[in-house]
């Protein structure tokens, strides 16, 4: 079974440090999403890309978050500087673009971030 | 703005006790409604896609239905291994996929 791979699985860092999360989408999928999940808010969309181009990053705090796709096999989400309120599980998902929409999203197992 | 509301937030069932989970949505131009299952420590796992009112999909003990305003996930004779959080999501065209906050289901032996 093809899978979305996320690294690291867990990250503990101190406030003010830079955090980089990585995602390898399923080969052949041209759309990549970054979501953040907390108990209070559920899954919130941070950004998504199609064919490596950013389509919507309105869910991200622009002053500290950045998302990129250096190539088709790698997506990154960076937080600089990190804050305790950024503590959450960050999920990457990938999909294929179909006529009128997407195939179902396939999720990785997430990066659990704790900022102390 | 697309909105998805799931109820109840949590549901506790005895093994074999059938029930339904609800997903109410507001979206401009629905392209698809998705149901996912999420186990602790893992990412959501795709279950179903529904595209139009009246459509139904089944998988083992699960059956998903869709109307113009809501979707139901019916669980027939659940087993403990059905315990998980069930998430509903909507998609409009090429726009983002919006998730509800989920229903946490616990099935007691």
């Amino acid at each position: 079974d093809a899978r979305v791979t996320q690294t690291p699985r867990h990250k503990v860092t101190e406030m003010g440090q830079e955090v980089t999360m990585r995602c390898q989408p399923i080969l052949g999928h041209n759309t990549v999403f970054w979501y953040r999940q907390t108990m209070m808010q559920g899954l919130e969309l941070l950004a998504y890309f199609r064919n490596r181009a950013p389509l919507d990053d309105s869910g991200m705090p622009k002053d500290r978050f950045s998302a990129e796709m250096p190539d088709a096999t790698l997506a990154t989400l960076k937080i600089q500087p990190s804050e305790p309120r950024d503590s959450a599980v960050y999920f990457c998902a990938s999909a294929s673009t179909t006529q009128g929409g997407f195939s179902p999203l396939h999720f990785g197992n997430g990066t659990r971030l704790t900022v102390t | 703005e697309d909105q998805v509301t799931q109820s109840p937030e949590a549901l506790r069932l005895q093994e074999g006790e059938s029930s339904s989970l609800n997903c109410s949505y507001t979206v401009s131009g629905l392209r698809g409604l998705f149901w996912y299952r999420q186990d602790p420590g893992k990412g959501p796992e795709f279950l179903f896609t529904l595209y139009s009112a009246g459509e139904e999909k089944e998988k083992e003990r699960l059956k998903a239905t869709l109307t113009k305003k809501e979707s139901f996930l019916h669980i027939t004779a659940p087993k403990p291994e059905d315990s998980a959080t069930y998430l509903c999501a909507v998609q409009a065209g090429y726009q983002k996929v919006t998730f509800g906050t989920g229903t946490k289901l616990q099935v007691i032996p």
Side-chain angles (χ1 to χ4, degrees), chain B residues 82-102:
Chain B
D82 295 322
S83 297
T85 296
Y86 290 85
L87 298 166
C88 171
V90 297
Q91 171 216 322
Y94 286 106
Q95 302 307 311
K96 61 186 179 181
V97 177
T98 302
F99 280 81
T101 52

Side-chain angles (χ1 to χ4, degrees), chain A:
Chain A
D1 262 355
R3 293 178 178 273
V4 174
T5 303
Q6 289 187 248
T7 56
R9 287 297 315 277
H10 303 274
K11 177 71 176 179
V12 179
T13 191
E14 292 184 348
M15 183 173 64
Q17 296 297 305
E18 178 178 301
V19 175
T20 299
M21 291 169 269
R22 294 178 173 80
C23 168
Q24 181 176 359
I26 291 173
L27 190 64
H29 282 186
N30 66 340
T31 308
V32 174
F33 300 79
W34 283 105
Y35 283 89
R36 174 171 63 186
Q37 187 174 44
T38 61
M39 290 292 291
M40 294 299 295
Q41 300 294 329
L43 275 166
E44 300 173 277
L45 180 67
L46 297 175
Y48 74 101
F49 295 76
R50 179 157 25 120
N51 297 325
R52 296 177 54 200
L55 289 189
D56 186 348
D57 62 0
S58 59
M60 290 201 311
K62 299 289 192 306
D63 56 338
R64 299 186 300 109
F65 284 59
S66 62
E68 296 180 343
M69 280 201 74
D71 61 61
T73 64
L74 177 65
T76 63
L77 180 66
K78 290 186 181 181
I79 308 175
Q80 169 63 23
S82 58
E83 298 181 0
R85 59 180 166 153
D86 300 328
S87 298
V89 182
Y90 291 80
F91 285 103
C92 174
S94 69
S96 298
T97 304
T98 63
Q99 190 165 358
F102 307 116
S103 66
L105 275 62
H106 294 260
F107 283 81
N109 283 326
T111 294
R112 180 175 294 276
L113 174 64
T114 303
V115 183
T116 61

Side-chain angles (χ1 to χ4, degrees), chain B residues 1-4 25-28 90 96 98:
Chain B
E1 185 176 326
D2 301 341
Q3 287 195 326
V4 180
Y25 63 91
T26 303
V27 63
S28 178
V90 297
K96 61 186 179 181
T98 302

Side-chain angles (χ1 to χ4, degrees), chain B residues 2-16:
Chain B
D2 301 341
Q3 287 195 326
V4 180
T5 303
Q6 292 189 246
S7 62
E9 289 186 9
L11 183 61
R12 198 175 184 199
L13 299 174
Q14 292 289 330
E15 184 173 0

